[in-house]
Structures are given as C-alpha cells and as structure tokens.
Amino acid sequence: MNTDTSTRLLDVHFANFLAERCKLEGDDKARFKVIVEELSLAMDNGHSCLELVDTDVTMVSASSLVSANEMTPLILYGNSLYLHRFFHYESRLASQLALLAQGEREMQDEHAAKERLDELFGPDSEEVDWQKKAAERALKKSLAIISGGPGTGKTTTVVKILALLLMTYGTDLRMALAAPTGKAAMRLQESIANSLANVSLPHEVLDKIPTGASTLHRLLGYRRNSPQFKHTGKNPMSWDVVVIDEASMVDLAMMSKVIDGLKPGARCILLGDKDQLASVESGAVLLDCIKSLPENTVELKKSYRFDSGIKKLATAINSGDGKGAWEVVAGDEVTNVSVLRNSYFDVIGGKYASYMDVVAASGIDDPKEVFKAFADFQVLCATRHGKTGVRRVNDVVESYLKRAGYDTVADPWYAGRPVMITANDYSLELFNGDVGICLPDPADGMMKVWFEKGDGTIKSCLPYRIPRCETVFAMTIHKSQGSEFREVMVMLPEEESRLLNKQLVYTAVTRAKEFVQIVASKKILVYALQSDYPRSSGLSQMLLQ
C-alpha cells in the first residue's frame, strides 16, 4: 500500500483515459477527471471507495461510465464511488458474510454443552468471562468473530472452541487453521501447541484438533502464474471449520475469496485485533464486520500475557492519550518501556552485532537458532525514507557491522543478511512479507536464503531464484503485522507526517513481548496519537442492509 497522499502519474493517465470517454463537457468533465484521480489514489492507499459530496454524486451519475450496479468501469453506491472490481468484491463479500452470519446451529443437548463450557472455562461468576462468551457464540453461530489485543487469550479460546465443537457435533468434523502470511501461520501453530499443552481434553478430541497451520494462499490452493485459486464457490474447500488468525491483515479481495471458498454449512472463526492497522491492501474487513455484526462478535478484554508496562502504553495509545503515553515511555515507573533520544544507531548496531555472533556460531549447523536470534530484536519504522526511515537504518546497520569486522559488503548475499520478500512467487511458495536469512548450506557450502515455513520446517533457495526482496534489519510497521519479537525499537519521523496515526504506533508497540524502545519526540508522539486512519469502505453499510 502506498501511504503517500500526492497524485501519481498512473492516477493522472487513468483519469485522462476515463475523462475522454465520460460524455461530460466543460467544468463537469474537468471535475470528473479530478474525482477519478482521487479515486485511483484512494485505491492505492487502501480505501475501497471514494466518498463524494452530493453535488459530485449528481454530476458523476450523468456519465455513461457510472451506474448503480451494471457493467460500467465505475459504480456509484449511495455517495460512494467504486472501481467496478472493488465494488464486486465488497458487495459479494457483504452478501456472503451476511448469509454466513445468519446461520444458527442447533444443539441436541444444550445442557451437556453448558456442562462442557463450565468444565473448560469454569462456572459462571460475577466477573464476565469473555473467553467463555466467545465459545458460546462460536457454538451457536456459523460465523464467529473474536477480537482482542495481544495476551487476551485468543488462541487458548479457539483451542477450547474447537474441542467444544468436536464434543458437541462429533469428532468427524474437519478443521483447518490459517493465517495471511507464513510468519503469522507459524505463530498460530506455536500458540496452538502451547495451548494444547495446558488444557486437559479426552484423547479422542485432542487427536482431532489441528496442530498445523497454513497460509490463506495454500488453504485456497494457489495456481501458478494466476491470481485465481483452486477452491471457489464452484469447487469449495472440504473443511467443516476454518479458523483464520490475524484477520485484520486480510484484505477485501482475499477475504472475499476465502468466504467464497467455504463449503455450504461450514463454520468460519475470525481472530484478530480490531485496534491494529488494517490490511496493507484494500479494505478494513475485520473492523467493518465487528461494527455491523455484533451478534457474531465477542471482544476479549482481559490481558493475561503483557506486563503492566507494555499494556499501560498500549492502552494510552488506543485511547489517543499522547500525554499519558509519553509519561509511560519517559518516566521511571516502568523499566521495559522507554524513550531513546541519543545514540540509537549505536544501540541498534550493538543488537545486530550480537545477532551476527549467533550467525557465526550456529548458522551453518542450525538455521533455527539464527531465526530465533533474529526474532530477539527488530527495528520498526513508520516510514521508508528520512533519517529514521527503513532505508537509512538498514544502510547504517550494514556500515556498523562492517566497521565491527563483519563481512557485509564483499558479497551482497553475506551470511546473516535478513531479507523480506516483496513479490509473490507461487512456484516457490514465497509470498510478500516472508522473511528469510542468508546462510551457507552445510551440504555444499553454497550461500542460500533460508525460510521458516508455516509448519515450522525450514526451506532454502538460491539467491538468484527468490523473487524481489529487500534487507530487513529494519522493516516498516505495516510489514511487521503478524510478527512478534522479544524487543522492538519503534522509530517515528522527526517531522509531523500524515502517515502517523495511533493504529500505526499501537501495531508497532504490540509486536513486542518484553521490551519497547521508542525513538520520537514528545511532540511527534502526541501528534501521532491524535491522528486516526479510517478506511473508506461500504462493507459495514452493506452488511446492515
């Protein structure tokens, strides 16, 4: 997603092309061209439509290129202007979700189901058990949406839900776990394994709960060199229950394809954090669903994992309390959340020097140890350019490592170089956002790029074979979604920017499990938390109709 707000050459040419065919004249034609430019830019910035004022609605309605729901390039839905493709995705998804949300499941023995709920979650008490509420909802609804921040127990809840479904509806239910990226799928798999180790279940139920997770691309059956998938409404997936983690990352087009690929009668459980950034691509599907489908939604409100420092900071960020957030990071009350004002490049360099020591000691024999060391610390940047942007940080880190004696220049594919894939390659099963590390192959000594797959295994590729990629000692906050690190350093720009908003800062901070350092002035942090980034979308309204 491009978060720039300036019109691109592509927007201009696209607008010129349509304006010459719009059959409007004079000022109306000129205004039509401007609107199409704005629509094209909005699509690139993640919006699914462009909101128009009433006078513009009347004007564009007179064009032969605009209709309410016909085969025209532009679609007008109320005051929202769409490109035809995005309207098709959104309207189809709305009808699919609405139908799925209406699905009510009958239980032959509700008393037995209540006993199982009490056994897994404990009896009802004065304090609301939101995990138990989510399980009750998932038992009765074909679509269940479970939202909660880090540490609220989404994965533990879904493990118990799967157990309840198996015990209530039979152990022949076929279940699948999926996430938008390989990294998120691997995290889901690890969380499921940890949760299963801490829950007491009958063996016949335990054996049926899936322990492997896949990417959505693999779940749907990707086709080489094609945007289409194997599983569609005409050839649906075989799963009775599909669980999708990190649902906030799923864009409009992908979610439409996933819901379309469910077989009749299947259940879908969406897990996610409504306060995180929306998907990199178009739409804000999870948030729209939560807004418009309250009967299918439960928000987990109690955190079990985070210490008071990170939790306190995240709460201040979510409430837009810039002053309170600054007091947390700049004060002495907590020790694992701090602001870093000076010498931050030395701190970053020192962290990655320690990582490179692990590469030298363990890389050839145990790539998993290298991945574990890399996940220990990550720099997250709000921007790609500027003093605190991704490109400069990566350059500075490599220069620091070179001065420290690590060979990071002689060959661009040096041992320990972390890279992120920026283009999908279905033949290699590598997708945008996947992170690999360059290490020598113990079999032949050749330098290869190693990737952790969703099932926890390691695969390698020769550098010249992998798709487009970039070094990621630092990555953008958008690209960090679905990942988790022991410690993060969040770098905000020195000047006010429309790129900054509280969802961005919240997403960055909640990538950390133990420690957070922030590089920012009080002025910039307060500015960021006063800003919001709502997505223009008609999905919520369509779901209500």
PDB file of all heavy atoms in Angstrom, residues 88 92-93 96-97 100 220 228-229 231-237 253-264:
ATOM      1  N   HIS A  88     -17.468  -5.155  -6.815  1.00  0.00           N
ATOM      2  CA  HIS A  88     -17.822  -6.577  -6.934  1.00  0.00           C
ATOM      3  C   HIS A  88     -17.325  -7.346  -5.707  1.00  0.00           C
ATOM      4  O   HIS A  88     -18.087  -8.122  -5.111  1.00  0.00           O
ATOM      5  CB  HIS A  88     -17.204  -7.163  -8.206  1.00  0.00           C
ATOM      6  CG  HIS A  88     -17.289  -8.660  -8.276  1.00  0.00           C
ATOM      7  ND1 HIS A  88     -18.456  -9.306  -8.584  1.00  0.00           N
ATOM      8  CD2 HIS A  88     -16.350  -9.622  -8.052  1.00  0.00           C
ATOM      9  CE1 HIS A  88     -18.249 -10.625  -8.553  1.00  0.00           C
ATOM     10  NE2 HIS A  88     -16.977 -10.836  -8.237  1.00  0.00           N
ATOM     11  N   ARG A  92     -20.170  -8.646  -3.011  1.00  0.00           N
ATOM     12  CA  ARG A  92     -20.233 -10.106  -2.915  1.00  0.00           C
ATOM     13  C   ARG A  92     -19.861 -10.571  -1.511  1.00  0.00           C
ATOM     14  O   ARG A  92     -20.524 -11.445  -0.934  1.00  0.00           O
ATOM     15  CB  ARG A  92     -19.312 -10.753  -3.952  1.00  0.00           C
ATOM     16  CG  ARG A  92     -19.349 -12.278  -3.935  1.00  0.00           C
ATOM     17  CD  ARG A  92     -18.593 -12.862  -5.115  1.00  0.00           C
ATOM     18  NE  ARG A  92     -18.548 -14.308  -5.066  1.00  0.00           N
ATOM     19  CZ  ARG A  92     -19.551 -15.115  -5.403  1.00  0.00           C
ATOM     20  NH1 ARG A  92     -20.693 -14.605  -5.824  1.00  0.00           N
ATOM     21  NH2 ARG A  92     -19.418 -16.436  -5.325  1.00  0.00           N
ATOM     22  N   LEU A  93     -18.809  -9.988  -0.947  1.00  0.00           N
ATOM     23  CA  LEU A  93     -18.403 -10.360   0.399  1.00  0.00           C
ATOM     24  C   LEU A  93     -19.502 -10.030   1.407  1.00  0.00           C
ATOM     25  O   LEU A  93     -19.765 -10.817   2.326  1.00  0.00           O
ATOM     26  CB  LEU A  93     -17.106  -9.649   0.774  1.00  0.00           C
ATOM     27  CG  LEU A  93     -16.574  -9.916   2.189  1.00  0.00           C
ATOM     28  CD1 LEU A  93     -16.316 -11.399   2.407  1.00  0.00           C
ATOM     29  CD2 LEU A  93     -15.308  -9.108   2.443  1.00  0.00           C
ATOM     30  N   GLN A  96     -22.176 -12.656   1.190  1.00  0.00           N
ATOM     31  CA  GLN A  96     -21.686 -13.927   1.710  1.00  0.00           C
ATOM     32  C   GLN A  96     -21.607 -13.904   3.233  1.00  0.00           C
ATOM     33  O   GLN A  96     -22.032 -14.855   3.913  1.00  0.00           O
ATOM     34  CB  GLN A  96     -20.295 -14.221   1.135  1.00  0.00           C
ATOM     35  CG  GLN A  96     -20.277 -14.503  -0.360  1.00  0.00           C
ATOM     36  CD  GLN A  96     -18.861 -14.477  -0.914  1.00  0.00           C
ATOM     37  OE1 GLN A  96     -18.020 -13.692  -0.460  1.00  0.00           O
ATOM     38  NE2 GLN A  96     -18.591 -15.321  -1.891  1.00  0.00           N
ATOM     39  N   LEU A  97     -21.052 -12.815   3.780  1.00  0.00           N
ATOM     40  CA  LEU A  97     -20.910 -12.710   5.230  1.00  0.00           C
ATOM     41  C   LEU A  97     -22.266 -12.607   5.917  1.00  0.00           C
ATOM     42  O   LEU A  97     -22.472 -13.195   6.984  1.00  0.00           O
ATOM     43  CB  LEU A  97     -20.049 -11.496   5.586  1.00  0.00           C
ATOM     44  CG  LEU A  97     -18.548 -11.625   5.354  1.00  0.00           C
ATOM     45  CD1 LEU A  97     -17.860 -10.278   5.553  1.00  0.00           C
ATOM     46  CD2 LEU A  97     -17.934 -12.667   6.292  1.00  0.00           C
ATOM     47  N   LEU A 100     -23.727 -16.034   6.029  1.00  0.00           N
ATOM     48  CA  LEU A 100     -22.997 -16.852   6.992  1.00  0.00           C
ATOM     49  C   LEU A 100     -23.323 -16.428   8.421  1.00  0.00           C
ATOM     50  O   LEU A 100     -23.497 -17.272   9.317  1.00  0.00           O
ATOM     51  CB  LEU A 100     -21.495 -16.730   6.730  1.00  0.00           C
ATOM     52  CG  LEU A 100     -20.558 -17.681   7.477  1.00  0.00           C
ATOM     53  CD1 LEU A 100     -20.822 -19.129   7.083  1.00  0.00           C
ATOM     54  CD2 LEU A 100     -19.099 -17.311   7.185  1.00  0.00           C
ATOM     55  N   LEU A 220      -6.459 -22.035   0.049  1.00  0.00           N
ATOM     56  CA  LEU A 220      -7.331 -21.921  -1.122  1.00  0.00           C
ATOM     57  C   LEU A 220      -6.793 -22.678  -2.330  1.00  0.00           C
ATOM     58  O   LEU A 220      -7.517 -22.859  -3.314  1.00  0.00           O
ATOM     59  CB  LEU A 220      -7.524 -20.445  -1.496  1.00  0.00           C
ATOM     60  CG  LEU A 220      -8.398 -19.639  -0.527  1.00  0.00           C
ATOM     61  CD1 LEU A 220      -8.307 -18.154  -0.847  1.00  0.00           C
ATOM     62  CD2 LEU A 220      -9.839 -20.101  -0.605  1.00  0.00           C
ATOM     63  N   GLN A 228      -6.079 -16.547  -9.638  1.00  0.00           N
ATOM     64  CA  GLN A 228      -7.207 -17.375  -9.256  1.00  0.00           C
ATOM     65  C   GLN A 228      -6.752 -18.545  -8.384  1.00  0.00           C
ATOM     66  O   GLN A 228      -5.604 -18.972  -8.445  1.00  0.00           O
ATOM     67  CB  GLN A 228      -7.914 -17.913 -10.508  1.00  0.00           C
ATOM     68  CG  GLN A 228      -8.356 -16.837 -11.482  1.00  0.00           C
ATOM     69  CD  GLN A 228      -9.285 -15.823 -10.840  1.00  0.00           C
ATOM     70  OE1 GLN A 228     -10.175 -16.189 -10.078  1.00  0.00           O
ATOM     71  NE2 GLN A 228      -9.083 -14.543 -11.152  1.00  0.00           N
ATOM     72  N   PHE A 229      -7.675 -19.061  -7.578  1.00  0.00           N
ATOM     73  CA  PHE A 229      -7.368 -20.176  -6.695  1.00  0.00           C
ATOM     74  C   PHE A 229      -8.148 -21.421  -7.093  1.00  0.00           C
ATOM     75  O   PHE A 229      -9.169 -21.346  -7.795  1.00  0.00           O
ATOM     76  CB  PHE A 229      -7.694 -19.808  -5.246  1.00  0.00           C
ATOM     77  CG  PHE A 229      -6.790 -18.757  -4.672  1.00  0.00           C
ATOM     78  CD1 PHE A 229      -7.170 -17.421  -4.671  1.00  0.00           C
ATOM     79  CD2 PHE A 229      -5.556 -19.100  -4.152  1.00  0.00           C
ATOM     80  CE1 PHE A 229      -6.339 -16.451  -4.143  1.00  0.00           C
ATOM     81  CE2 PHE A 229      -4.707 -18.135  -3.617  1.00  0.00           C
ATOM     82  CZ  PHE A 229      -5.099 -16.807  -3.616  1.00  0.00           C
ATOM     83  N   HIS A 231      -9.823 -23.447  -5.063  1.00  0.00           N
ATOM     84  CA  HIS A 231     -11.099 -23.560  -4.362  1.00  0.00           C
ATOM     85  C   HIS A 231     -11.909 -22.274  -4.505  1.00  0.00           C
ATOM     86  O   HIS A 231     -11.453 -21.186  -4.140  1.00  0.00           O
ATOM     87  CB  HIS A 231     -10.867 -23.878  -2.884  1.00  0.00           C
ATOM     88  CG  HIS A 231     -10.261 -25.225  -2.666  1.00  0.00           C
ATOM     89  ND1 HIS A 231     -10.899 -26.397  -2.995  1.00  0.00           N
ATOM     90  CD2 HIS A 231      -9.053 -25.591  -2.158  1.00  0.00           C
ATOM     91  CE1 HIS A 231     -10.130 -27.428  -2.693  1.00  0.00           C
ATOM     92  NE2 HIS A 231      -9.006 -26.962  -2.204  1.00  0.00           N
ATOM     93  N   THR A 232     -13.110 -22.411  -5.034  1.00  0.00           N
ATOM     94  CA  THR A 232     -14.043 -21.309  -5.226  1.00  0.00           C
ATOM     95  C   THR A 232     -15.431 -21.796  -4.815  1.00  0.00           C
ATOM     96  O   THR A 232     -15.581 -22.913  -4.307  1.00  0.00           O
ATOM     97  CB  THR A 232     -14.077 -20.870  -6.697  1.00  0.00           C
ATOM     98  OG1 THR A 232     -14.582 -21.959  -7.494  1.00  0.00           O
ATOM     99  CG2 THR A 232     -12.675 -20.489  -7.185  1.00  0.00           C
ATOM    100  N   GLY A 233     -16.430 -20.969  -5.080  1.00  0.00           N
ATOM    101  CA  GLY A 233     -17.796 -21.391  -4.790  1.00  0.00           C
ATOM    102  C   GLY A 233     -18.206 -22.611  -5.591  1.00  0.00           C
ATOM    103  O   GLY A 233     -19.024 -23.429  -5.135  1.00  0.00           O
ATOM    104  N   LYS A 234     -17.629 -22.758  -6.765  1.00  0.00           N
ATOM    105  CA  LYS A 234     -17.954 -23.920  -7.603  1.00  0.00           C
ATOM    106  C   LYS A 234     -17.129 -25.149  -7.221  1.00  0.00           C
ATOM    107  O   LYS A 234     -17.498 -26.269  -7.564  1.00  0.00           O
ATOM    108  CB  LYS A 234     -17.711 -23.562  -9.068  1.00  0.00           C
ATOM    109  CG  LYS A 234     -18.644 -22.469  -9.592  1.00  0.00           C
ATOM    110  CD  LYS A 234     -18.355 -22.158 -11.051  1.00  0.00           C
ATOM    111  CE  LYS A 234     -19.289 -21.071 -11.563  1.00  0.00           C
ATOM    112  NZ  LYS A 234     -19.017 -20.722 -12.985  1.00  0.00           N
ATOM    113  N   ASN A 235     -16.019 -24.936  -6.558  1.00  0.00           N
ATOM    114  CA  ASN A 235     -15.169 -26.037  -6.105  1.00  0.00           C
ATOM    115  C   ASN A 235     -14.708 -25.726  -4.678  1.00  0.00           C
ATOM    116  O   ASN A 235     -13.557 -25.387  -4.435  1.00  0.00           O
ATOM    117  CB  ASN A 235     -13.956 -26.199  -7.031  1.00  0.00           C
ATOM    118  CG  ASN A 235     -13.048 -27.335  -6.591  1.00  0.00           C
ATOM    119  OD1 ASN A 235     -13.509 -28.345  -6.055  1.00  0.00           O
ATOM    120  ND2 ASN A 235     -11.756 -27.159  -6.789  1.00  0.00           N
ATOM    121  N   PRO A 236     -15.625 -25.815  -3.709  1.00  0.00           N
ATOM    122  CA  PRO A 236     -15.325 -25.356  -2.346  1.00  0.00           C
ATOM    123  C   PRO A 236     -14.330 -26.252  -1.607  1.00  0.00           C
ATOM    124  O   PRO A 236     -14.083 -27.396  -1.997  1.00  0.00           O
ATOM    125  CB  PRO A 236     -16.693 -25.388  -1.647  1.00  0.00           C
ATOM    126  CG  PRO A 236     -17.475 -26.416  -2.405  1.00  0.00           C
ATOM    127  CD  PRO A 236     -17.008 -26.305  -3.828  1.00  0.00           C
ATOM    128  N   MET A 237     -13.761 -25.683  -0.559  1.00  0.00           N
ATOM    129  CA  MET A 237     -12.876 -26.439   0.318  1.00  0.00           C
ATOM    130  C   MET A 237     -13.673 -27.507   1.070  1.00  0.00           C
ATOM    131  O   MET A 237     -14.889 -27.399   1.217  1.00  0.00           O
ATOM    132  CB  MET A 237     -12.195 -25.489   1.318  1.00  0.00           C
ATOM    133  CG  MET A 237     -11.307 -24.437   0.676  1.00  0.00           C
ATOM    134  SD  MET A 237     -10.568 -23.293   1.889  1.00  0.00           S
ATOM    135  CE  MET A 237     -11.974 -22.230   2.273  1.00  0.00           C
ATOM    136  N   ALA A 253     -10.168  -8.359  -1.144  1.00  0.00           N
ATOM    137  CA  ALA A 253     -10.183  -9.371  -2.200  1.00  0.00           C
ATOM    138  C   ALA A 253      -9.942 -10.765  -1.638  1.00  0.00           C
ATOM    139  O   ALA A 253     -10.636 -11.732  -1.986  1.00  0.00           O
ATOM    140  CB  ALA A 253      -9.135  -9.037  -3.264  1.00  0.00           C
ATOM    141  N   MET A 254      -8.948 -10.901  -0.751  1.00  0.00           N
ATOM    142  CA  MET A 254      -8.634 -12.217  -0.194  1.00  0.00           C
ATOM    143  C   MET A 254      -9.768 -12.739   0.676  1.00  0.00           C
ATOM    144  O   MET A 254     -10.128 -13.921   0.608  1.00  0.00           O
ATOM    145  CB  MET A 254      -7.332 -12.149   0.594  1.00  0.00           C
ATOM    146  CG  MET A 254      -6.939 -13.471   1.258  1.00  0.00           C
ATOM    147  SD  MET A 254      -6.764 -14.833   0.079  1.00  0.00           S
ATOM    148  CE  MET A 254      -5.122 -14.477  -0.573  1.00  0.00           C
ATOM    149  N   MET A 255     -10.353 -11.877   1.515  1.00  0.00           N
ATOM    150  CA  MET A 255     -11.440 -12.346   2.366  1.00  0.00           C
ATOM    151  C   MET A 255     -12.627 -12.786   1.528  1.00  0.00           C
ATOM    152  O   MET A 255     -13.302 -13.786   1.849  1.00  0.00           O
ATOM    153  CB  MET A 255     -11.862 -11.257   3.349  1.00  0.00           C
ATOM    154  CG  MET A 255     -12.860 -11.739   4.400  1.00  0.00           C
ATOM    155  SD  MET A 255     -12.172 -12.976   5.543  1.00  0.00           S
ATOM    156  CE  MET A 255     -11.363 -11.898   6.720  1.00  0.00           C
ATOM    157  N   SER A 256     -12.898 -12.074   0.435  1.00  0.00           N
ATOM    158  CA  SER A 256     -13.984 -12.464  -0.462  1.00  0.00           C
ATOM    159  C   SER A 256     -13.738 -13.860  -1.032  1.00  0.00           C
ATOM    160  O   SER A 256     -14.644 -14.688  -1.114  1.00  0.00           O
ATOM    161  CB  SER A 256     -14.124 -11.442  -1.592  1.00  0.00           C
ATOM    162  OG  SER A 256     -15.167 -11.803  -2.463  1.00  0.00           O
ATOM    163  N   LYS A 257     -12.493 -14.122  -1.402  1.00  0.00           N
ATOM    164  CA  LYS A 257     -12.163 -15.431  -1.974  1.00  0.00           C
ATOM    165  C   LYS A 257     -12.223 -16.537  -0.929  1.00  0.00           C
ATOM    166  O   LYS A 257     -12.632 -17.669  -1.232  1.00  0.00           O
ATOM    167  CB  LYS A 257     -10.778 -15.365  -2.626  1.00  0.00           C
ATOM    168  CG  LYS A 257     -10.757 -14.477  -3.865  1.00  0.00           C
ATOM    169  CD  LYS A 257      -9.351 -14.286  -4.421  1.00  0.00           C
ATOM    170  CE  LYS A 257      -9.386 -13.363  -5.641  1.00  0.00           C
ATOM    171  NZ  LYS A 257      -8.035 -13.096  -6.195  1.00  0.00           N
ATOM    172  N   VAL A 258     -11.826 -16.224   0.312  1.00  0.00           N
ATOM    173  CA  VAL A 258     -11.882 -17.232   1.374  1.00  0.00           C
ATOM    174  C   VAL A 258     -13.329 -17.604   1.691  1.00  0.00           C
ATOM    175  O   VAL A 258     -13.680 -18.794   1.765  1.00  0.00           O
ATOM    176  CB  VAL A 258     -11.177 -16.720   2.646  1.00  0.00           C
ATOM    177  CG1 VAL A 258     -11.453 -17.650   3.826  1.00  0.00           C
ATOM    178  CG2 VAL A 258      -9.681 -16.604   2.417  1.00  0.00           C
ATOM    179  N   ILE A 259     -14.170 -16.612   1.890  1.00  0.00           N
ATOM    180  CA  ILE A 259     -15.575 -16.885   2.227  1.00  0.00           C
ATOM    181  C   ILE A 259     -16.268 -17.580   1.061  1.00  0.00           C
ATOM    182  O   ILE A 259     -17.089 -18.484   1.251  1.00  0.00           O
ATOM    183  CB  ILE A 259     -16.319 -15.582   2.611  1.00  0.00           C
ATOM    184  CG1 ILE A 259     -15.616 -14.900   3.802  1.00  0.00           C
ATOM    185  CG2 ILE A 259     -17.767 -15.878   2.963  1.00  0.00           C
ATOM    186  CD1 ILE A 259     -15.520 -15.747   5.049  1.00  0.00           C
ATOM    187  N   ASP A 260     -15.924 -17.177  -0.147  1.00  0.00           N
ATOM    188  CA  ASP A 260     -16.489 -17.813  -1.336  1.00  0.00           C
ATOM    189  C   ASP A 260     -16.099 -19.292  -1.400  1.00  0.00           C
ATOM    190  O   ASP A 260     -16.860 -20.136  -1.888  1.00  0.00           O
ATOM    191  CB  ASP A 260     -16.008 -17.095  -2.599  1.00  0.00           C
ATOM    192  CG  ASP A 260     -16.676 -17.610  -3.857  1.00  0.00           C
ATOM    193  OD1 ASP A 260     -17.911 -17.753  -3.846  1.00  0.00           O
ATOM    194  OD2 ASP A 260     -15.971 -17.878  -4.839  1.00  0.00           O
ATOM    195  N   GLY A 261     -14.896 -19.624  -0.904  1.00  0.00           N
ATOM    196  CA  GLY A 261     -14.390 -20.986  -0.986  1.00  0.00           C
ATOM    197  C   GLY A 261     -14.888 -21.917   0.107  1.00  0.00           C
ATOM    198  O   GLY A 261     -14.584 -23.117   0.081  1.00  0.00           O
ATOM    199  N   LEU A 262     -15.659 -21.399   1.076  1.00  0.00           N
ATOM    200  CA  LEU A 262     -16.219 -22.269   2.115  1.00  0.00           C
ATOM    201  C   LEU A 262     -17.316 -23.148   1.534  1.00  0.00           C
ATOM    202  O   LEU A 262     -18.112 -22.705   0.709  1.00  0.00           O
ATOM    203  CB  LEU A 262     -16.806 -21.428   3.254  1.00  0.00           C
ATOM    204  CG  LEU A 262     -15.847 -20.566   4.072  1.00  0.00           C
ATOM    205  CD1 LEU A 262     -16.638 -19.717   5.053  1.00  0.00           C
ATOM    206  CD2 LEU A 262     -14.827 -21.419   4.798  1.00  0.00           C
ATOM    207  N   LYS A 263     -17.375 -24.384   1.986  1.00  0.00           N
ATOM    208  CA  LYS A 263     -18.439 -25.256   1.510  1.00  0.00           C
ATOM    209  C   LYS A 263     -19.740 -24.911   2.230  1.00  0.00           C
ATOM    210  O   LYS A 263     -19.729 -24.357   3.339  1.00  0.00           O
ATOM    211  CB  LYS A 263     -18.070 -26.718   1.724  1.00  0.00           C
ATOM    212  CG  LYS A 263     -18.156 -27.211   3.146  1.00  0.00           C
ATOM    213  CD  LYS A 263     -17.869 -28.701   3.220  1.00  0.00           C
ATOM    214  CE  LYS A 263     -18.077 -29.247   4.634  1.00  0.00           C
ATOM    215  NZ  LYS A 263     -17.827 -30.699   4.702  1.00  0.00           N
ATOM    216  N   PRO A 264     -20.892 -25.226   1.645  1.00  0.00           N
ATOM    217  CA  PRO A 264     -22.171 -24.966   2.314  1.00  0.00           C
ATOM    218  C   PRO A 264     -22.215 -25.639   3.686  1.00  0.00           C
ATOM    219  O   PRO A 264     -21.847 -26.799   3.837  1.00  0.00           O
ATOM    220  CB  PRO A 264     -23.200 -25.588   1.362  1.00  0.00           C
ATOM    221  CG  PRO A 264     -22.534 -25.557   0.023  1.00  0.00           C
ATOM    222  CD  PRO A 264     -21.074 -25.787   0.294  1.00  0.00           C
TER     223      PRO A 264
END
